[in-house]
Amino acid sequence: MRLATIVHEGREQAAFLTDRGLIPLVWVNEQEGADWETDLYGLLQKNQLKKLLGWYTGGGENLFTHLPALGLTQVSYRALYRKPGKIMGIGMNYLAKAIEISGRPPEDEPVIFLKPDTSLIGPGEYIRLPKSAGQITAEAELGIVIGQTCKEISEDEALSVIAGITTTLDMTAKDIHAQNPRFMQRAKSFDTFFSLGASLSTIDEYASLSELEVETVLNGEVAHNSTVSRMIFSPAYLISFLSHVMTLHPGDVILTGTPGSVVIKQGDKVECRITGLKTLINSVEV
């Protein structure tokens, strides 16, 4: 099942992303006499996403052939939702990236940081470069959206708590971070320094997450790419690890690290491309 948040009838709302186009969830409610929440965050908070997936895979998808659809290029896409409970980042999680930054083999445990919800933007919204912050970088990353409350779970259990995966872009004030590693939190926290997904796919859409390819793209050119199999710490490990640090709740987002960053400047366009997901694109404000 694939979902997106779009602007339709003057508000941001969830829609099914299908080969025929976009079908707003409100249309499904009207057709089925259902009362699904019509925004993605509401679905997560009321524990409806898993039930919606059951409806979809149990034959609900057949309804789409009888409903009209909005053209894929005729709507505006937005952030999946605006107020995640937590946005958790993982640093240096691809071997090549870890060696590039630190000049040594990776750490025994993940490097973690948090981003505020004030940093959040969505597809098509502008990245703003803060004054006097020096060079700014952008990184494409696989994002994991948590679907149920969990604490101290094992790696074997971890994939069962995923609501879905998405595309993300993580921005960093590179020069601030370079001054002192302790400044990483400040370097990551500026407004517009996190872009959240053009679409969300449930993991049953994939035979294996390990073969997903993640690409950082600048002005139409692929700058860095790698596969999830080349992560130092797998998505399942990261979920388990973080759940032993803090309780995870529906709607929490985990950024799993990047295959590589690009320096961005005014007028640039940066993208996150991931297999099976709608490309996330943001321009840097001119």
Side-chain angles (χ1 to χ4, degrees):
M1 183 173 72
R2 298 186 297 158
L3 298 169
T5 295
I6 62 172
V7 177
H8 179 60
E9 296 183 339
R11 67 182 183 91
E12 295 181 358
Q13 55 181 287
F16 288 94
L17 185 58
T18 77
D19 293 338
R20 291 181 53 239
L22 289 147
I23 300 175
L25 191 48
V26 66
W27 292 0
V28 174
N29 279 347
E30 292 169 356
Q31 182 71 24
E32 293 282 273
D35 61 351
W36 304 110
E37 292 292 318
T38 56
D39 66 281
L40 186 52
Y41 194 69
L43 287 168
L44 290 165
Q45 295 308 299
K46 293 196 175 180
N47 198 31
Q48 291 185 348
L49 188 65
K50 191 172 183 179
K51 296 175 182 177
L52 184 64
L53 176 60
W55 170 84
Y56 175 85
T57 57
E61 182 183 9
N62 297 330
L63 174 69
F64 296 163
T65 60
H66 308 296
L67 288 175
L70 303 171
L72 295 174
T73 61
Q74 295 175 337
V75 300
S76 296
Y77 297 83
R78 290 293 182 263
L80 296 180
Y81 43 91
R82 297 288 177 176
K83 295 287 184 180
K86 294 185 288 294
I87 304 165
M88 299 157 281
I90 305 297
M92 301 183 292
N93 196 30
Y94 287 83
L95 182 59
K97 182 67 174 175
I99 294 174
E100 172 196 334
I101 292 176
S102 66
R104 61 178 186 272
E107 305 289 345
D108 294 332
E109 294 186 353
V111 175
I112 65 174
F113 58 90
L114 298 175
K115 295 183 80 82
D117 60 23
T118 49
S119 68
L120 191 150
I121 57 174
E125 297 179 70
Y126 284 110
I127 301 166
R128 299 196 305 272
L129 305 182
K131 296 178 181 178
S132 305
Q135 283 191 330
I136 307 300
T137 60
E139 305 170 342
E141 307 195 18
L142 172 70
I144 295 172
V145 175
I146 297 298
Q148 65 186 69
T149 298
C150 56
K151 176 68 175 175
E152 295 181 351
I153 61 171
S154 68
E155 283 187 64
D156 290 339
E157 299 171 293
L159 295 186
S160 70
V161 305
I162 295 178
I165 60 172
T166 188
T167 47
T168 69
L169 288 166
D170 176 28
M171 274 59 73
T172 308
K174 180 180 180 181
D175 288 349
I176 290 176
H177 188 206
Q179 291 174 32
N180 190 319
R182 295 180 181 179
F183 296 168
M184 180 171 67
Q185 188 65 63
R186 173 159 61 99
K188 294 280 189 181
S189 296
F190 289 94
D191 291 354
T192 75
F193 269 30
F194 169 57
S195 187
L196 177 61
S199 69
L200 178 138
S201 291
T202 52
I203 62 173
D204 60 289
E205 292 282 326
Y206 303 93
S208 172
L209 294 184
S210 64
E211 298 309 310
L212 292 182
E213 187 170 28
V214 182
E215 296 181 336
T216 302
V217 180
L218 181 64
N219 297 326
E221 298 292 330
V222 176
H224 304 280
N225 70 296
S226 193
T227 59
V228 171
S229 63
R230 294 174 183 167
M231 287 181 176
I232 299 166
F233 303 106
S234 70
Y237 179 91
L238 293 174
I239 294 168
S240 176
F241 178 86
L242 288 166
S243 79
H244 283 77
V245 177
M246 62 192 91
T247 300
L248 303 179
H249 291 296
D252 287 349
V253 180
I254 301 172
L255 314 182
T256 58
T258 184
S261 61
V262 290
V263 176
I264 54 175
K265 61 184 184 302
Q266 288 184 329
D268 281 343
K269 182 180 292 184
V270 63
E271 304 175 30
C272 174
R273 298 178 185 171
I274 298 178
T275 313
L277 291 165
K278 184 171 176 57
T279 299
L280 174 62
I281 306 173
N282 293 96
S283 296
V284 183
E285 191 174 52
V286 177

